[in-house]
Amino acid sequence: MSDFGYTEDPNKRYHTWNYALRQQFGGKIFKVPLDGGFDCPNRDGTVAKGGCTFCSVSGSGDMIVAPQDPLPIQFQKEVQMMHKKWPQVDQYIVYFQNFTNTHAPVEVIRHRFEQVVNEKGVVGISIGTRPDCLPDEVVEYLAELNQRYYLWVELGLQTTYENTSTIINRAHDYQTYLDGVAKLRKHNIRVCTHLINGLPGESLDMMRENVRRTILDSDIQGIKLHLLHLMTNTRMLRDYHEGRLQLMTRKNYVNVICDQLEMIPPEIVIHRLTGDAPTDTLVGPMWSLKKWEVLNAIDDEMKRRNSFQGINDVRKAKEVLI
């Protein structure tokens, strides 16, 4: 363990997802992405039409290997592919990744989840969803799962700014997010919040503020910080062509990520600092395709600053002010 107390890798000055899993399970874990066959409430007309303007037709599931297959087959194919690189791994977290995986009657959700959570080696489940799709009966089922498995609920927030939320057609407000987190935490369910850096009209200061607000306003245990990937066949492409969207430079992205890490309390798990996008549908930023170079640049910048996650912990700063 390093001097920072939350990583076995001396190059990482933040609380990595890999470290959190090794602490929980004693070894490497595969997170197995699956397409659960769910829709999204701002695609099907429940709250809006068209979906978020940044979202691809796969609902952010572009990297899933066999999305049309039955869930147990999807699981096996993903595991087989991962075993080509890590044949010794035998513990898995099932990840219902794309669209909104609690947007259905609870009996449908239960049926789909239970098809794979009992597969050999499954020790946990991670569920991607929206904060406006957490009715009481669904939360009660999630609470049940939380007693049986290592559970994370990943809530898409993307931004704390209502104007940005309207521009990207998010179709829920910030208070809905706060209420959703509170409902989950009432049952001690771990929450990982997703934020996107680089959304239309948001400055670097606004990106930092998104993290500050999220940390101060909600009781979360994990966070995913994404780079905005501009994809073909998305509504956001029009914003780009009409000059309302400027793609981030790598330098700005690395710097704002490091600023955000410095604000985040050290106990919060950093699930992701950038993302993956298919080469054939990515419009930009093209530098994002070199994912490991981006992550290495973040490590190098944190070293250059002699900094680490939580050095400017916003929760501690608030306590001092109080």
Side-chain angles (χ1 to χ4, degrees):
M1 185 177 292
S2 78
D3 293 339
F4 306 111
Y6 41 63
T7 174
E8 295 165 341
D9 184 345
N11 293 314
K12 302 296 181 185
R13 295 179 173 227
Y14 56 90
H15 191 159
T16 67
W17 172 237
N18 181 58
Y19 175 71
L21 291 179
R22 288 181 180 275
Q23 289 295 104
Q24 182 74 29
F25 297 106
K28 187 171 181 60
I29 303 290
F30 283 161
K31 191 174 182 184
V32 183
L34 302 177
D35 185 330
F38 296 95
D39 205 336
C40 185
N42 70 344
R43 285 178 179 259
D44 66 12
T46 303
V47 296
K49 286 281 192 180
C52 296
T53 62
F54 58 79
C55 199
S56 66
V57 293
S58 70
S60 300
D62 304 273
M63 308 303 284
I64 295 174
V65 171
Q68 303 303 320
D69 285 347
L71 285 165
I73 302 301
Q74 285 189 50
F75 176 83
Q76 293 299 332
K77 286 184 176 180
E78 291 281 353
V79 167
Q80 288 168 13
M81 183 185 70
M82 293 174 176
H83 277 164
K84 292 178 182 178
K85 188 171 183 180
W86 295 286
Q88 74 282 5
V89 177
D90 60 1
Q91 296 184 96
Y92 315 105
I93 292 176
V94 173
Y95 180 25
F96 285 90
Q97 179 178 19
N98 56 329
F99 294 116
T100 305
N101 294 281
T102 58
H103 181 49
V106 67
E107 59 270 17
V108 173
I109 296 169
R110 181 185 292 272
H111 172 71
R112 294 179 187 178
F113 288 3
E114 297 294 333
Q115 288 183 54
V116 286
V117 293
N118 294 312
E119 289 284 331
K120 183 179 179 181
V122 171
V123 294
I125 179 170
S126 191
I127 300 163
T129 191
R130 289 166 53 97
D132 57 352
C133 291
L134 294 170
D136 291 345
E137 63 274 16
V138 170
V139 173
E140 288 171 8
Y141 172 54
L142 296 179
E144 175 193 324
L145 282 175
N146 195 42
Q147 297 298 315
R148 295 161 53 197
Y149 298 95
Y150 178 72
L151 175 70
W152 282 87
V153 173
E154 302 193 20
L155 287 184
L157 172 59
Q158 320 312 355
T159 180
T160 66
Y161 288 92
E162 304 297 0
N163 185 57
T164 307
S165 186
T166 299
I167 290 171
I168 65 175
N169 196 42
R170 190 64 195 158
H172 71 73
D173 61 10
Y174 186 45
Q175 187 59 51
T176 299
Y177 159 78
L178 297 177
D179 293 342
V181 174
K183 289 182 74 170
L184 294 168
R185 293 302 298 148
K186 183 179 178 181
H187 297 278
N188 295 315
I189 295 170
R190 300 172 191 86
V191 177
C192 174
T193 297
H194 292 211
L195 291 169
I196 297 178
N197 288 324
L199 290 172
E202 292 204 350
S203 66
L204 299 179
D205 282 343
M206 292 170 74
M207 296 174 209
R208 298 182 189 99
E209 181 65 8
N210 278 327
V211 168
R212 191 190 73 84
R213 290 178 180 175
T214 302
I215 296 301
L216 289 180
D217 296 346
S218 56
D219 177 21
I220 63 172
Q221 292 65 54
I223 194 166
K224 275 189 178 180
L225 300 172
H226 294 268
L227 168 68
L228 174 69
H229 288 123
L230 182 62
M231 311 290 289
T232 58
N233 299 317
T234 60
R235 296 167 66 191
M236 190 169 282
L237 202 57
R238 181 186 301 172
D239 294 325
Y240 178 66
H241 289 312
E242 295 180 359
R244 293 186 296 274
L245 171 66
Q246 300 295 319
L247 298 180
M248 292 189 76
T249 65
R250 194 180 88 162
K251 180 179 180 180
N252 280 344
Y253 187 75
V254 168
N255 280 328
V256 80
I257 283 287
C258 292
D259 294 343
Q260 291 169 329
L261 285 172
E262 290 174 346
M263 289 188 282
I264 299 171
E267 67 272 14
I268 291 181
V269 180
I270 309 299
H271 287 237
R272 174 167 280 188
L273 291 180
T274 185
D276 299 292
T279 306
D280 57 344
T281 57
L282 179 66
V283 177
M286 299 311 292
W287 54 261
S288 68
L289 292 172
K290 297 180 179 180
K291 178 179 177 180
W292 288 107
E293 289 186 9
V294 177
L295 293 173
N296 289 338
I298 292 168
D299 293 340
D300 290 344
E301 176 60 17
M302 293 295 278
K303 287 181 192 174
R304 188 194 70 77
R305 297 182 184 193
N306 192 26
S307 191
F308 51 88
Q309 180 182 334
I311 193 172
N312 298 322
D313 185 337
V314 293
R315 286 182 182 166
K316 285 189 176 179
K318 183 179 180 181
E319 290 172 3
V320 169
L321 290 173
I322 294 172

